[in-house]
Amino acid sequence: MDIPTNKSDDRLQRRRDLEQVRTFQRKIYQKAKQEKDFRFYVLYDKVRQAAFLRESYKRCKANNGSAGVDGLTFKDIESTGVSEFLDKITQELANKTYKPQPVKRVEIPKANGQTRPLGIPTIKDRVIQMAVKLVIEPIFEADFEENSYGFRPKRCAADAITTIKAHLQKKRCDIYDADLSGYFDTIPHKELLFLVGMRISDKNVLHLIKMWLKTPIIKNGQFRGGKKNKIGTPQGGVISPLLANIYLNVLDKAVNRENGLFQKYGVFIVRYADDFVLMGKNIPKECLARLNELLRKLKLTLNKDKSKAVQGYEDSFDFLGHTLRWSHSLKGRGYYWNVEPSNKSQNKVREKIREYLAANRHKGATDISKGLNAITCGWINYFSIRGVSYPTKAKRNLNWYLYKKLHQFYNKKKSQRKCKRYRHGAMAHLSKYHGLIQPVRYTPKMTPVNATDERLSVSRVRENRMHGLTRRLGYS
């Protein structure tokens, strides 16, 4: 497998690889869309093609992930040669001798004091998972419902929030905010593989997916899971989000089924991964009972501590870091649906600023400014949705917090006298001379309203998405 050494040749090779991947994805998506019951049987040869593996490696590297249990990093791979690394993968896939290595389990702290388990496969496993994802994702994208937004090409949290606000504006204010308990760790393998097999009959691809599901997890030197494990997919694996969406697509279809119970009462679902809301003008108890029945059949359970019924005109609710509420206009123009960063999200960004300043006291003012800009601007961009959200108040709060923290930061006595930036006003000095961006003066890159804009009809939405097929399928 030849990897160009010249930069211009390298860019040309990348464009060719991407175009080859996109062409295949476009064709297979159209086939899956036209024939709903077709099972794809020749896919394994694409997984081990040079273009797919090179593109997979590029995307895995772009994620800048850490090493797995083997300790091998991207820097180590490039020092010995990417070409040799991918050649070995190709040979293992061709000879069918590939075996995934154990997944390294790490615990990510959460705001409530608990931890979220995260599985880190080795880079080799990630590259092969990405190659399989590039091959099979368009097949299932043709089947997924419009109300699903998590971990899908050209979709994001902003689209989900936009759709929820559109439902609220149509007076669908009876809401059931649901959260699944340990979803990634409780997906049953047998049922998941059955759903994958409804669209894919290539036994080699199915065998790869089954091996990844059965891969043991290593934590603190101890092995867990393995061949006897019958539930769960590692949260952190490249292909895990796709598999999670495949499984919950059953729930989406059940809620959206024409002449079904949910449609009878005008109840809609908006889902982002394992977080979803049911919305309608009135959600009767029959719908909630039906929801629990569906989840029981899927062998999933609701998190009772996080799931709750909400009346939109009376109570606010949080979804994907946003707080949605029926608020009175400060200009005296009546009420409106306010979407702003939640208190939890604001506390989280403050914590990041506090931790960054505590860990980087040795850095110069310019580096401090760059680090703070990455935190604050990224946070503001996420919560800025054109025509949907109103983050101005949160930006003012963040600006005031940053002002106080920088004042305290440069008040520390590093010698017998205070830093001059403390005397001159730390925030103003960094903004004027070192490029610090003040949150209140930052013009965010507003997330545009996607095809979920409530002004578009359903038929127009589908038409626009078909016209944007090439652009959408090329991203993963």
Side-chain angles (χ1 to χ4, degrees):
M1 188 178 295
D2 297 328
I3 301 292
T5 54
N6 185 282
K7 288 186 177 180
S8 60
D9 292 342
D10 183 54
R11 286 194 294 268
L12 180 60
Q13 183 67 66
R14 287 184 176 182
R15 285 197 295 268
R16 289 174 178 172
D17 292 342
L18 182 58
E19 182 59 32
Q20 184 175 340
V21 171
R22 285 180 172 178
T23 301
F24 172 79
Q25 290 181 323
R26 183 164 57 248
K27 291 180 179 179
I28 203 171
Y29 175 87
Q30 292 172 344
K31 177 72 172 179
K33 198 71 174 178
Q34 293 168 1
E35 300 183 36
K36 296 293 186 179
D37 298 325
F38 185 81
R39 297 179 71 204
F40 293 82
Y41 52 89
V42 182
L43 300 172
Y44 190 71
D45 61 322
K46 301 296 187 298
V47 174
R48 53 192 177 91
Q49 276 189 8
F52 280 82
L53 288 176
R54 283 194 294 261
E55 181 65 18
S56 299
Y57 179 83
K58 183 185 74 173
R59 298 191 183 198
C60 289
K61 183 183 176 183
N63 293 331
N64 196 27
S66 59
V69 293
D70 60 355
L72 192 66
T73 64
F74 287 102
K75 186 176 180 180
D76 297 332
I77 293 172
E78 293 178 357
S79 64
T80 57
V82 177
S83 178
E84 291 77 5
F85 174 74
L86 296 181
D87 281 337
K88 291 180 181 178
I89 291 178
T90 304
Q91 187 175 1
E92 287 186 22
L93 291 175
N95 298 333
K96 299 179 182 178
T97 58
Y98 163 72
K99 299 291 182 184
Q101 294 180 272
V103 175
K104 182 169 71 174
R105 172 64 64 90
V106 295
E107 301 291 338
I108 306 299
K110 297 170 66 175
N112 58 6
Q114 299 179 351
T115 58
R116 183 189 303 277
L118 184 68
I120 304 177
T122 62
I123 294 178
K124 182 174 76 171
D125 293 336
R126 271 179 266 170
V127 170
I128 301 176
Q129 286 186 23
M130 179 65 77
V132 172
K133 182 174 179 285
L134 291 176
V135 171
I136 71 172
E137 185 175 49
I139 299 172
F140 295 100
E141 275 293 316
D143 296 336
F144 287 159
E145 296 290 306
E146 296 292 329
N147 57 265
S148 171
Y149 298 95
F151 307 114
R152 292 184 60 187
K154 292 298 180 181
R155 287 177 171 234
C156 61
D159 298 327
I161 296 299
T162 301
T163 303
I164 289 176
K165 185 173 180 179
H167 283 307
L168 292 172
Q169 290 173 334
K170 294 177 181 178
K171 299 183 179 181
R172 297 178 184 131
C173 304
D174 197 5
I175 303 155
Y176 187 74
D177 184 8
D179 182 87
L180 295 177
S181 180
Y183 173 59
F184 282 86
D185 293 331
T186 56
I187 300 176
H189 294 171
K190 182 180 178 180
E191 287 79 0
L192 174 60
L193 289 171
F194 175 79
L195 293 173
V196 176
M198 290 179 66
R199 273 305 213 169
I200 297 174
S201 62
D202 190 323
K203 62 180 182 180
N204 294 316
V205 173
L206 293 174
H207 180 64
L208 287 176
I209 295 175
K210 186 175 181 179
M211 284 197 300
W212 290 325
L213 292 175
K214 300 293 184 181
T215 301
I217 296 172
I218 184 170
K219 179 182 178 182
N220 299 327
Q222 296 181 347
F223 286 88
R224 299 179 181 178
K227 294 183 178 180
K228 294 183 179 180
N229 186 30
K230 296 182 180 181
I231 60 172
T233 175
Q235 189 172 355
V238 175
I239 203 167
S240 295
L242 175 60
L243 297 177
N245 274 332
I246 291 171
Y247 196 65
L248 272 185
N249 190 48
V250 176
L251 175 64
D252 297 338
K253 288 185 177 296
V255 175
N256 296 334
R257 184 177 295 119
E258 292 185 11
N259 302 322
L261 180 65
F262 293 95
Q263 292 302 304
K264 174 184 176 182
Y265 290 102
V267 176
F268 296 82
I269 183 173
V270 180
R271 183 174 65 82
Y272 190 95
D274 57 334
D275 295 325
F276 64 91
V277 291
L278 296 179
M279 306 183 70
K281 294 183 179 180
N282 178 45
I283 302 179
K285 294 182 179 179
E286 293 91 331
C287 288
L288 297 181
R290 176 60 176 159
L291 173 65
N292 282 284
E293 181 184 353
L294 288 169
L295 294 176
R296 180 181 57 80
K297 290 181 178 180
L298 291 171
K299 299 182 180 180
L300 303 173
T301 57
L302 284 172
N303 187 331
K304 295 183 180 180
D305 294 333
K306 295 184 178 180
S307 301
K308 60 180 179 179
V310 178
Q311 175 50 246
Y313 285 122
E314 299 175 1
D315 303 309
S316 64
F317 68 99
D318 294 346
F319 193 73
L320 302 179
H322 298 76
T323 294
L324 297 94
R325 64 164 58 90
W326 183 240
S327 298
H328 187 269
S329 173
L330 296 178
K331 297 181 180 180
R333 298 177 181 176
Y335 287 82
Y336 70 104
W337 288 108
N338 186 16
V339 181
E340 61 182 0
S342 65
N343 291 333
K344 182 178 178 180
S345 300
Q346 295 186 53
N347 291 333
K348 194 171 182 179
V349 71
R350 292 170 186 166
E351 183 181 354
K352 285 185 177 180
I353 292 174
R354 183 168 61 251
E355 291 176 351
Y356 177 81
L357 291 176
N360 294 277
R361 294 188 179 280
H362 61 286
K363 289 187 177 180
T366 301
D367 291 333
I368 289 289
S369 299
K370 289 181 179 179
L372 291 175
N373 289 344
I375 296 173
T376 58
C377 295
W379 187 83
I380 294 172
N381 287 338
Y382 175 82
F383 288 101
S384 301
I385 310 172
R386 190 185 305 278
V388 176
S389 65
Y390 307 97
T392 304
K393 181 180 177 182
K395 287 168 62 177
R396 289 199 300 266
N397 294 339
L398 180 61
N399 198 84
W400 174 242
Y401 179 80
L402 189 60
Y403 173 86
K404 292 192 299 181
K405 291 305 296 184
L406 287 173
H407 181 81
Q408 295 172 4
F409 181 74
Y410 286 109
N411 188 25
K412 302 294 182 180
K413 293 184 178 181
K414 299 181 181 180
S415 61
Q416 296 301 315
R417 56 185 180 181
K418 294 181 179 179
C419 178
K420 64 179 181 180
R421 298 186 188 93
Y422 170 77
R423 299 194 304 271
H424 296 167
M427 192 168 183
H429 184 87
L430 293 182
S431 299
K432 185 175 182 179
Y433 298 105
H434 299 282
L436 178 69
I437 299 176
Q438 298 186 27
V440 292
R441 297 181 180 179
Y442 174 63
T443 302
K445 298 177 181 178
M446 299 290 286
T447 302
V449 175
N450 203 345
T452 52
D453 192 333
E454 60 272 19
R455 294 172 295 178
L456 297 177
S457 65
V458 174
S459 60
R460 181 71 180 278
V461 167
R462 291 174 179 170
E463 180 184 353
N464 286 353
R465 290 198 171 160
M466 287 301 293
H467 283 307
L469 182 63
T470 304
R471 176 170 52 84
R472 189 173 89 243
L473 289 178
Y475 176 82
S476 60

